[in-house]
Amino acid sequence: PAPKQCIDKIPHLDGTWRVLSYQMPINPISATVLRTGEVLIVAGSENHLHHHQGGAASYRAVIWDPTGVDASSLDVVHVGYDIFCSGTVVLADGRALIVGGTNDYSFTGSQHTLIYDPITRQFNQAQAMADGRWYPSITVLGDGRVMAFSGLALSGSTNRTTQIYSLSSAGAGWGTTSRAPFTPPLYPRLFV
């Protein structure tokens, strides 16, 4: 059969780009669409050494309502550690799992794990990983578990291990690590 032809000028099919009348109050690193229709935008210290030292301007994320018409649609929230250069996925239950980030500006990875619940609008600390990950790849597996791979370790070298996160196992969290037989790039492209 012949390929289907696109129908012109149907907004829900074609989409449109527009410039917003307000600016993002952080330096966006990644964006994750949540089940509420809002968008979780991660910044952390924004690759800014001053922000990495704690205080009101440090360790930030934004919850953005894209249907908003002005800057009031942006809710800046402070998180407990530097999520700059972390990896994020959405879990089967609709919460966002944020893995790794910046441990310090000698460019070593953080072991932290956060879970953001879009219903309660809360960030909750989860079990830490075995080693740091700065620029990790996070992949949801077919059974709902999450695999973390690559990123810079606490030592500053590339983390060659994978680690699996599971909500269904006893003591929900990270399992043991498995070492890859090669050194991966940072943020390697992974999919199931």
Side-chain angles (χ1 to χ4, degrees), residues 8-69:
D8 291 337
K9 302 195 187 307
I10 299 177
H12 72 279
L13 293 179
D14 294 337
T16 57
W17 288 100
R18 66 182 170 98
V19 176
L20 299 175
S21 62
Y22 53 94
Q23 293 195 358
M24 187 64 54
I26 61 172
N27 176 18
I29 300 306
S30 69
T32 304
V33 177
L34 302 169
R35 73 184 206 180
T36 59
E38 296 170 307
V39 180
L40 169 63
I41 301 170
V42 170
S45 64
E46 305 174 46
N47 195 25
H48 191 291
L49 184 59
H50 173 72
H51 290 175
H52 187 71
Q53 297 176 18
S58 301
Y59 313 152
R60 302 178 300 168
V62 165
I63 309 304
W64 175 48
D65 177 358
T67 65
V69 296

Side-chain angles (χ1 to χ4, degrees), residues 75-114:
D75 182 17
V76 178
V77 291
H78 299 278
V79 297
Y81 76 98
D82 194 353
I83 53 178
F84 181 73
C85 297
S86 58
T88 305
V89 295
V90 176
L91 300 170
D93 64 8
R95 296 179 300 160
L97 181 75
I98 304 166
V99 174
T102 302
N103 188 57
D104 63 52
Y105 272 92
S106 63
F107 298 100
T108 62
S110 170
Q111 295 171 272
H112 286 91
T113 303
L114 279 178

